[in-house]
Amino acid sequence: MKIKVAWVGKTKEPPIQTLTDEYLKRISRYAEIEGLSLRDEAALLKWAERSGTRPAHTLILLDSRGKQLSSEEFAKFLEEQASHSSQPLLFAVGPADGFGEKTRAAAAFTLSLGRMTLAHELARIVLLEQLYRGFAILKGHPYHLGH
């Protein structure tokens, strides 16, 4: 499985970059993963645009209006994506003011991390941790059981 995690804007806080790097390293044990810092939504849409008859990536937006999943449901979602699609997953954490309608329309799925609003840099870390947790669940790794 190939995964890209993209965020719009530069990382302002060094601890955020440290945590990003740590979780990307952990996830790389289970999947091919890459983090992408993008200038704007147009750059994100370029990554997701069609290549031939299919989109280049399956675009999954993080948005408070999206579907909320438990960690176990998210693991199942990852498993289903891996078994039913050969396209890389492109998880996108938006700019501070959220995604525009064009980007929302291009998404295959919209995921919510919960009803509370999170700073977009913090949302990135929560997403990465949940990706790692999802793979740990699928592999039966004890990480998830430690709560």
Side-chain angles (χ1 to χ4, degrees):
M1 171 178 266
K2 293 182 180 180
I3 299 173
K4 289 184 175 33
V5 177
W7 53 91
V8 176
K10 293 183 180 180
T11 304
K12 296 175 183 159
E13 299 295 328
I16 296 293
Q17 190 60 53
T18 300
L19 283 169
T20 297
D21 294 342
E22 175 61 27
Y23 277 107
L24 289 172
K25 180 180 164 189
R26 289 182 187 193
I27 296 164
S28 71
R29 296 178 201 142
Y30 303 111
E32 188 177 320
I33 189 159
E34 179 183 359
L36 302 169
S37 175
L38 302 174
R39 182 181 76 258
D40 54 23
E41 280 187 70
L44 172 64
L45 287 171
K46 214 166 186 52
W47 275 96
E49 72 187 9
R50 294 194 173 273
S51 172
T53 59
R54 302 180 346 176
H57 294 83
T58 299
L59 180 59
I60 301 164
L61 296 184
L62 269 69
D63 188 293
S64 62
R65 296 170 280 186
K67 183 170 173 101
Q68 293 182 40
L69 302 174
S70 68
S71 295
E72 292 83 2
E73 290 168 333
F74 185 58
K76 182 83 171 154
F77 173 82
L78 292 172
E79 185 176 52
E80 288 170 359
Q81 291 296 313
S83 65
H84 292 101
S85 177
S86 60
Q87 294 174 280
L89 299 179
L90 174 57
F91 287 91
V93 179
D97 56 349
F99 289 110
E101 286 306 313
K102 186 175 180 182
T103 305
R104 292 176 54 73
F109 188 77
T110 305
L111 175 68
S112 172
L113 296 175
R115 292 175 39 195
M116 292 182 179
T117 302
L118 298 174
H120 62 284
E121 286 188 336
L122 184 55
R124 178 195 335 164
I125 299 305
V126 173
L127 168 64
L128 288 167
E129 192 281 333
Q130 286 300 303
L131 282 166
Y132 178 65
R133 184 175 296 275
F135 285 114
I137 290 168
L138 293 174
K139 298 297 184 185
H141 189 278
Y143 176 81
H144 175 64
L145 302 175
H147 298 298

